[in-house]
Amino acid sequence: MKCPACGNELSQKLAGNIIVDACEGGCGGIWFDRFELPKVDNLEEAEGESLLNIKKSPEVEVNPNVRRYCPKCSGIPMMRHYYSIKREVLVDECPSCAGFWLDAGELAAIRSLFSSEMEKEIVTEQYIADIVSKYIGR
């Protein structure tokens, strides 16, 4: 598979019980197949630690504003959206296969948002309650 950000060949990397595709020696990005990213997206999931230091080439520069295409689904443009309710980290997701592309540093940023799945659920529930009360209270 080719990297959707820099065109480098992706290599497989083991993280706990999942195998991701990483752009080692290129831009340092990571491809997660469907259902893989939630297994390493917070601090209590130790297997994600091994994915925080993908070797990146200093010569490779990536334009974050360029549209990315799924490395698995030929010709399918990925959707860019915030990963969590906190709206701090933009990710690219394939609308066809539901895989995620994370640029270098985005996994670390995502992992820093919530220390556990429980914290993520509490923050999400509070956010939804705030929105509902805002509209019902009108």
Side-chain angles (χ1 to χ4, degrees):
M1 258 191 323
K2 295 281 186 191
C3 173
C6 73
N8 192 37
E9 191 66 34
L10 298 177
S11 57
Q12 294 188 331
K13 193 155 178 67
L14 182 64
N17 64 350
I18 64 170
I19 298 173
V20 300
D21 298 285
C23 188
E24 289 195 279
C27 68
I30 308 170
W31 173 256
F32 292 89
D33 287 327
R34 185 179 190 167
F35 303 122
E36 289 179 339
L37 182 54
K39 295 178 180 179
V40 296
D41 70 348
N42 65 56
L43 294 176
E44 72 181 4
E45 295 158 340
E47 48 276 335
E49 294 287 322
S50 66
L51 300 175
L52 296 178
N53 297 308
I54 304 294
K55 291 181 184 173
K56 181 180 172 189
S57 171
E59 290 87 39
V60 175
E61 289 191 33
V62 174
N63 183 345
N65 299 316
V66 172
R67 181 145 220 177
R68 308 277 166 72
Y69 290 84
C70 180
K72 286 188 87 169
C73 305
S74 181
I76 302 291
M78 290 192 275
M79 302 178 307
R80 186 163 287 161
H81 62 84
Y82 288 103
Y83 184 72
S84 81
I85 209 85
K86 286 190 173 184
R87 300 178 55 86
E88 294 179 16
V89 182
L90 279 169
V91 297
D92 297 287
E93 182 178 9
C94 178
S96 180
C97 71
F100 281 93
W101 175 258
L102 300 186
D103 291 319
E106 289 178 345
L107 180 59
I110 287 170
R111 287 173 58 85
S112 72
L113 293 174
F114 304 103
S115 61
S116 67
E117 201 60 38
M118 178 67 79
E119 180 188 356
K120 184 179 188 180
E121 289 174 19
I122 291 168
V123 170
T124 301
E125 287 173 10
Q126 184 59 53
Y127 178 79
I128 292 169
D130 290 347
I131 289 175
V132 169
S133 69
K134 199 181 289 186
Y135 287 102
I136 292 178
R138 286 185 161 187

